[in-house]
Amino acid sequence: MTEQNPILDMRGIHKRFTGVVALKDVKFRLFPGEVHALMGENGAGKSTLIKVLTGVHDINEGTVTMEGKQLAISSPLEAQEAGITTVYQEVNLCTNLSVAENIFIGREPRRFGRILWKEMNRRAEQLLAERLNVSIDVTLPLASYSVAVQQLVAIARALNISAKVLILDEPTSSLDANEVRELFTVMRKLKEQGLAILFVTHFLDQVYEISDRISILRGGEFVGEYLAAELPRIDLVLKMIGKDLHLLAELPKSGSKEESRNGEAFLQASSLGRKGAIEPYDLNIARGEIIGFAGLLGSGRTESARLLFGADRADAGELTVEGTGGKIDSPRQAIRQGIAFCSENRKTEGIIADLTVRENIVLALQASRGWFRTISRKRQDEIADEYIKALNINPKNPEQLIKNLSGGNQQKVLLARWLLMEPKLLILDEPTRGIDIGAKAEIQKLVLALSRKGMSVLFISSELEEVLRVSDRIAVLRDRHLVKMMTAEEMSHENVMKAIAGG
Amino acid sequence: MFKRQYLPILVTVGLFVLVFLAGSFRYTGFFSLQVLTNLLIDNAFLLIVAVGMTFVIVSGGIDLSVGSMVALTTMLSATLVEQQGWPPSVVIPLVLAFGCLYGFGMGAIIHYFNIQPFIVTLAGMFLARGLCYIISINTITINDSFYKDMAMTKIQLPGGSFVSISVIIALAVVLLALYLAHYTRFGRNTYAIGGSEQSALLMGLPVARTKMLVYAFSGFCSALGGVVFTFYMLSGYGLHAVGLELDAIAAVVIGGTLLTGGVGYVAGTFFGVLILGVIQTIINFEGTLSSWWTKIVIGVLLFLFIILQRVINVRASKMKVI
Ligand SMILES: Nc1ncnc2c1ncn2[C@@H]1O[C@H](COP(=O)(O)OP(=O)(O)OP(=O)(O)O)[C@@H](O)[C@H]1O
Ligand SMILES: [Mg+2]
């Protein structure tokens, strides 16, 4: 890659929100034909940098030049017109519209102002199939698809806009390995065509696989810009968190967990299933056991978990909780039996945007006690402080509105809500989605610690390493079947991959 | 292929057919084309107003000013034509433009000051109603020949029935709105904003313009509804169309449009209005029942439809495809 002129050059960028300085004298350059990774912990300011660039927020100070000309962008529409297209961190689409519309809205194929629906649907199908290898019914509302598919649709939308700069803020957080591979193939192709790509992720492997250059932010300040080939992993991590990281090393390896539990069963599912969602499966969870769910997108991981929680009604099989028997057919019943579910879909099923961090944390606990036995304000503050510290939630202010937190920090709050409940069985669906490596290790530690105290956990994640690290046993799902139950002895990266692939 | 998102509208159509057939079995002379066309004649103005309301509700808003706007239009038309002697060819375009502008203004306030549509259009409602009484506190009867012609002209249909010119106007508005909603960017942007305004903004859609246009369109529809209402009543009066906004909202909701925005159908609104009309007709045929029974039936229907929508919604959110 030759040193040409940057296509995009941001200098001296400052951004203040009330009470928080999100960006302090940050610079960022982007060259044509490169993939540039923007790295930093949760709350470092990555998304904010992207939002000031694309006119979602205005800049307090600083200049943005594109192709030598100074830019003043004040809305996402203007950014698009200037040739910058963005996939924001939170999937930002309209789930009431069809898949095809979400890809094309604003640029629908038209004749004399009349939208050509057939043409649009055809093109959407083609785009998804050829570029991302997804074949779905594009005329259904987007709401009928999972977050992962929604993320792919958001990417497809961005790809369809012919732009000079493509920004992807954590596009891979809910994708499985296959989907990520497809995405990277597309990104390489675009790069060859001279597109400049800004890429944000918390997965180090992905950074080194795809990017040419890395810029690092820490606490809203610019740390440096490096060529990926010249920056060793350990240095990258060091620069991101500003100190040495032994967290990951401290984690007990899977299988090495002491036999603290007595093997007493907590939950037993026999031939539990639901037509169209998941084929009947058997599952036993002992007290204090952590069961990992591994499988590709659409393999039925979330669906099987929803049956256990009563969020969907099983149409076959039986579910026994601590020997009480019978079906759980509503989340209310599940909660009463001590089961909690932390959803992957934090935006629609998780956070309450206009409440504070403290209120969001105590919400489920308060609800479970009934509204007449309120938790004292003092106790609430204690709880909030405890979890803000334990999960390193930033900023450390329990009275901040949760919508003002960075994506990763919102996820931590949501997790705190369920951990606080200390349920007997905690179902975690992609709990570390969008969470930086430091906090990820913290969460894994916390989950292990709770399981040692007797809490059972069902841990769903697309990230195999993580599942392997925390689980006592792993259930592998493929095409809506539970295909294999692996014991600690059988569990290895290779074996799980094989089972997922159907070898 | 059957799409479950069309279920609410099928229910609406089905209900209309059912009520109509029930009426036909019970009353002699009910099952005729003329009863059907009378439904349209008597409800043409409501249909026009409800179409505008559909766009507003789909965009996630509400417009409470439509009833007052209808009254103000009848008042303006009456005073300009009768007392000032202006020709209808000037007055009608003028009141329509006024309606547009009024709506546009409310839309601008809603968007730029970020105030709830409920409050802004509530203020708009009081303001328009108040303006009627500034013009006059009495009824102004219209004797202008053009208005009379519009009121009297009957367009013969095969089979001996007829419709009024207002019906033609209303049907034209419905067709135009169907096209706007489903085949233009303006329409699709309206649905997008109703789905999620934040997302629409991030997708680079012209949110400000679309929102203002939606209220302008509703203002236009209520002014046009007012013109048609003037043909119907041949007078201007400050107490015309009191509570019409609520009938319009009811028709829209019964037509399958979600009050939360993002989902809705112009065609549904058409049948929503017909259902309201047919209930009124049945109560007229019954003869002994007070017309307040209409309100009771509408109330019950509204409950049922909102519950139905809820059920469909909950079902749909559980039916993830992947
Ligand atoms: N609208 C807002 N009001 C107040 N503070 C905000 C607002 N938006 C962001 N912040 C703060 O700015 C900081 C940077 O947030 P940002 O979303 O850019 O982080 P990030 O690097 O993208 O993190 P993540 O990896 O979790 O996505 C955070 O401390 C956040 O709380
Ligand atoms: Mg972010």
Side-chain angles (χ1 to χ4, degrees):
Chain A
M1 196 178 34
T2 53
E3 278 295 301
Q4 321 132 289
N5 286 330
I7 181 166
L8 184 76
D9 196 354
M10 306 173 74
R11 285 169 199 238
I13 306 288
H14 287 259
K15 176 67 198 174
R16 288 173 290 271
F17 294 108
T18 35
V20 200
V21 181
L23 296 173
K24 217 180 300 169
D25 195 20
V26 171
K27 57 181 171 183
F28 183 79
R29 304 187 299 171
L30 199 55
F31 292 89
E34 74 165 355
V35 174
H36 192 144
L38 181 60
M39 304 290 296
E41 286 184 286
N42 292 136
K46 305 175 297 290
S47 301
T48 306
L49 187 67
I50 289 167
K51 285 184 179 160
V52 296
L53 171 62
T54 55
V56 178
H57 300 313
D58 40 46
I59 305 182
N60 294 127
E61 274 173 57
T63 57
V64 180
T65 3
M66 191 157 158
E67 298 176 305
K69 281 193 291 284
Q70 189 149 338
L71 278 186
I73 292 174
S74 62
S75 75
L77 183 60
E78 283 174 35
Q80 262 182 36
E81 281 161 1
I84 305 174
T85 68
T86 315
V87 177
Y88 294 93
Q89 180 173 7
E90 305 299 330
V91 179
N92 269 296
L93 297 169
C94 294
T95 51
N96 59 322
L97 303 181
S98 75
V99 171
E101 275 205 279
N102 270 291
I103 296 176
F104 282 101
I105 195 164
R107 296 182 316 279
E108 302 95 335
R110 292 187 300 176
R111 189 179 303 135
F112 307 120
R114 173 170 174 265
I115 294 172
L116 306 170
W117 282 88
K118 281 211 181 104
E119 172 76 8
M120 185 165 90
N121 291 339
R122 193 185 58 74
R123 280 200 219 166
E125 249 162 44
Q126 194 183 348
L127 183 71
L128 283 169
E130 286 178 5
R131 296 286 204 100
L132 297 170
N133 212 356
V134 187
S135 51
I136 54 176
D137 183 350
V138 297
T139 60
L140 288 184
L142 191 66
S144 31
Y145 294 100
S146 68
V147 195
V149 174
Q150 295 184 12
Q151 201 157 29
L152 288 170
V153 171
I155 293 168
R157 174 175 174 85
L159 294 180
N160 179 55
I161 304 176
S162 53
K164 297 170 197 146
V165 173
L166 174 63
I167 300 176
L168 301 169
D169 193 352
E170 300 196 29
T172 56
S173 59
S174 61
L175 301 186
D176 65 40
N178 278 345
E179 305 294 338
V180 172
R181 199 164 341 111
E182 300 288 347
L183 176 62
F184 281 5
T185 315
V186 179
M187 281 168 69
R188 288 201 189 92
K189 228 182 277 166
L190 292 171
K191 189 171 101 167
E192 274 157 32
Q193 294 162 9
L195 200 79
I197 303 177
L198 192 172
F199 178 57
V200 179
T201 183
H202 289 292
F203 297 104
L204 297 191
D205 290 338
Q206 295 181 1
V207 173
Y208 283 100
E209 187 182 338
I210 189 90
S211 47
D212 304 297
R213 206 185 289 263
I214 299 174
S215 281
I216 301 172
L217 294 180
R218 185 172 67 230
E221 292 184 62
F222 178 73
V223 177
E225 184 198 275
Y226 313 87
L227 287 177
E230 293 167 9
L231 182 72
R233 247 167 218 251
I234 190 75
D235 287 359
L236 169 60
V237 174
L238 238 135
K239 287 182 163 54
M240 269 164 55
I241 63 173
K243 54 178 187 281
D244 226 333
L245 179 78
H246 294 299
L247 285 168
L248 290 165
E250 279 172 30
L251 272 180
K253 289 246 355 128
S254 63
S256 69
K257 267 172 58 179
E258 67 272 37
E259 274 308 309
S260 61
R261 59 192 152 275
N262 44 21
E264 184 191 332
F266 170 67
L267 179 139
Q268 258 177 322
S270 47
S271 342
L272 198 66
R274 179 181 162 91
K275 240 184 234 108
I278 179 81
E279 295 296 318
Y281 65 96
D282 296 327
L283 184 71
N284 303 316
I285 307 178
R287 272 179 203 288
E289 190 178 27
I290 305 181
I291 305 258
F293 267 28
L296 295 178
L297 183 170
S299 60
R301 294 171 307 184
T302 302
E303 288 77 357
S304 31
R306 286 173 67 90
L307 289 190
L308 297 180
F309 190 60
D312 293 326
R313 204 167 290 212
D315 51 21
E318 262 196 37
L319 190 62
T320 324
V321 180
E322 283 183 301
T324 53
K327 283 183 183 172
I328 290 183
D329 48 18
S330 73
R332 249 181 95 81
Q333 266 178 16
I335 290 167
R336 231 180 279 144
Q337 308 265 28
I339 303 177
F341 188 102
C342 182
S343 154
E344 63 170 333
N345 202 348
R346 70 165 166 262
K347 203 170 176 192
T348 53
E349 292 170 31
I351 67 163
I352 305 205
D354 287 307
L355 294 184
T356 65
V357 170
R358 169 179 54 80
E359 288 165 325
N360 267 286
I361 291 179
V362 298
L363 192 69
L365 185 64
Q366 179 66 74
S368 74
R369 291 163 57 108
W371 296 106
F372 297 109
R373 287 168 52 215
T374 50
I375 307 169
S376 75
R377 179 57 193 264
K378 187 158 151 285
R379 181 78 193 108
Q380 290 189 20
D381 287 335
E382 281 167 20
I383 291 170
D385 283 338
E386 182 190 332
Y387 279 93
I388 286 177
K389 211 175 298 144
L391 297 177
N392 191 21
I393 295 170
N394 262 313
K396 305 212 173 305
N397 171 11
E399 299 310 309
Q400 178 67 271
L401 294 184
I402 196 169
K403 67 176 172 191
N404 292 340
L405 258 57
S406 79
N409 282 306
Q410 291 182 0
Q411 181 71 18
K412 292 183 203 168
V413 172
L414 200 59
L415 206 60
R417 180 191 295 169
W418 297 114
L419 292 175
L420 169 64
M421 297 286 287
E422 301 200 347
K424 293 185 194 145
L425 169 65
L426 177 60
I427 303 173
L428 294 171
D429 197 355
E430 301 282 357
T432 61
R433 174 176 177 209
I435 281 184
D436 67 45
I437 43 170
K440 211 176 254 183
E442 288 296 342
I443 287 169
Q444 292 168 9
K445 269 208 289 196
L446 209 66
V447 165
L448 287 172
L450 286 167
S451 87
R452 227 165 278 133
K453 283 205 273 175
M455 180 176 85
S456 314
V457 180
L458 205 147
F459 196 97
I460 306 175
S461 171
S462 297
E463 210 187 328
L464 201 45
E465 298 305 326
E466 183 176 71
V467 179
L468 283 167
R469 204 176 298 128
V470 298
S471 311
D472 297 313
R473 288 189 294 152
I474 293 182
V476 179
L477 289 96
R478 184 185 347 120
D479 294 337
R480 303 180 183 277
H481 281 83
L482 198 161
V483 290
K484 199 161 169 55
M485 208 53 227
M486 289 189 180
T487 57
E489 296 79 56
E490 300 169 288
M491 274 163 38
S492 72
H493 195 269
E494 216 189 313
N495 281 348
V496 177
M497 283 304 271
K498 257 192 222 150
I500 288 177
Chain B
M1 191 180 89
F2 171 73
K3 292 265 169 66
R4 57 184 304 116
Q5 64 256 44
Y6 298 140
L7 191 57
I9 191 167
L10 288 181
V11 172
T12 309
V13 176
L15 182 70
F16 170 69
V17 173
L18 210 71
V19 176
F20 193 78
L21 287 182
S24 309
F25 279 115
R26 191 165 157 82
Y27 312 106
T28 43
F30 191 98
F31 188 76
S32 73
L33 198 56
Q34 194 56 48
V35 169
L36 214 53
T37 51
N38 279 344
L39 277 183
L40 289 172
I41 293 170
D42 295 337
N43 293 293
F45 66 96
L46 176 62
L47 184 52
I48 296 172
V49 171
V51 162
M53 184 70 84
T54 309
F55 277 74
V56 176
I57 293 182
V58 163
S59 82
I62 193 92
D63 188 351
L64 298 179
S65 72
V66 293
S68 311
M69 195 61 217
V70 167
L72 183 57
T73 306
T74 64
M75 212 59 190
L76 276 176
S77 308
T79 179
L80 290 178
V81 172
E82 289 301 316
Q83 296 171 340
Q84 310 296 323
W86 293 17
S89 57
V90 175
V91 171
I92 291 176
L94 199 74
V95 292
L96 292 181
F98 177 76
C100 277
L101 218 66
Y102 198 83
F104 192 83
M106 289 191 299
I109 294 172
I110 289 165
H111 182 76
Y112 288 110
F113 294 96
N114 196 14
I115 307 176
Q116 311 228 306
F118 187 94
I119 301 298
V120 175
T121 57
L122 185 70
M125 169 179 119
F126 283 120
L127 181 63
R129 191 66 74 177
L131 285 175
C132 293
Y133 294 105
I134 290 194
I135 296 170
S136 167
I137 53 167
N138 298 317
T139 312
I140 305 174
T141 314
I142 295 178
N143 294 309
D144 181 88
S145 61
F146 175 77
Y147 279 85
K148 284 206 152 145
D149 284 349
M150 293 305 265
M152 303 304 174
T153 306
K154 291 180 180 174
I155 297 164
Q156 292 298 329
L157 294 182
S161 60
F162 62 89
V163 293
S164 65
I165 292 184
S166 300
V167 174
I168 306 294
I169 298 176
L171 291 179
V173 169
V174 169
L175 290 180
L176 173 80
L178 274 172
Y179 182 80
L180 272 182
H182 299 290
Y183 290 99
T184 66
R185 284 200 179 157
F186 164 69
R188 301 323 294 167
N189 290 346
T190 306
Y191 280 84
I193 291 172
S196 162
E197 190 170 334
Q198 177 68 11
S199 296
L201 200 69
L202 290 178
M203 286 202 271
L205 302 179
V207 171
R209 190 180 70 204
T210 307
K211 265 169 85 179
M212 290 186 293
L213 282 180
V214 162
Y215 286 94
F217 182 65
S218 176
F220 171 81
C221 286
S222 38
L224 186 61
V227 170
V228 167
F229 197 68
T230 321
F231 296 158
Y232 191 70
M233 302 298 283
L234 285 177
S235 68
Y237 185 34
L239 277 179
H240 275 337
V242 171
L244 179 69
E245 57 280 347
L246 302 181
D247 289 337
I249 294 170
V252 172
V253 171
I254 291 176
T257 300
L258 292 189
L259 269 178
T260 43
V263 180
Y265 318 88
V266 173
T269 299
F270 178 74
F271 284 99
V273 170
L274 288 188
I275 287 177
L276 295 193
V278 82
I279 292 168
Q280 181 70 58
T281 312
I282 284 186
I283 281 156
N284 289 347
F285 264 78
E286 190 62 39
T288 54
L289 281 178
S290 121
S291 77
W292 285 105
W293 276 97
T294 323
K295 304 278 174 200
I296 293 169
V297 176
I298 292 172
V300 171
L301 275 185
L302 268 179
F303 271 125
L304 291 179
F305 270 81
I306 288 166
I307 290 167
L308 175 78
Q309 288 178 353
R310 193 71 221 149
V311 170
I312 291 173
N313 250 356
V314 170
R315 281 274 182 86
S317 69
K318 283 189 180 172
M319 289 283 293
K320 300 260 177 188
V321 180
I322 294 182

